[in-house]
Amino acid sequence: MSRMRIAIAAAAMSGSMLVGGVIGATAFGAITASAAASPSPSGSGTGQSGAATAPNNGKFTPNEDATHEAGESAAREAQENAGQRPTVP
């Protein structure tokens, strides 16, 4: 009878590790996938012309569109003009 209890305990532990692994892979896989996925610039519906835009490769490029500039604060515009990524609204 002792061997039966050991077998049941081993099966329960193995099953819980398997279920925990699946849940962990699902949770962390979704976080990693969403962080790795970055939206690609399409140029449609954003107020830009239909021409394709070049990828920024990590370099900050300010949005100099007139409608965007109208809603910007002076502090944000100063950061953009200095080539910095804006930290103020």
Side-chain angles (χ1 to χ4, degrees), residues 24-51:
T26 303
F28 288 112
I31 292 170
T32 304
S34 65
S38 61
S40 60
S42 63
S44 60
T46 58
Q48 299 174 349
S49 64

Side-chain angles (χ1 to χ4, degrees), residues 8-84:
I8 290 173
M13 287 171 46
S14 297
S16 66
M17 287 192 323
L18 180 66
V19 171
V22 169
I23 291 171
T26 303
F28 288 112
I31 292 170
T32 304
S34 65
S38 61
S40 60
S42 63
S44 60
T46 58
Q48 299 174 349
S49 64
T53 58
N56 64 6
N57 296 329
K59 181 182 175 196
F60 174 71
T61 54
N63 184 354
E64 297 296 333
D65 186 43
T67 55
H68 173 79
E69 292 292 315
E72 269 185 2
S73 68
R76 182 180 182 96
E77 183 61 26
Q79 285 181 326
E80 287 181 1
N81 290 340
Q84 300 171 348

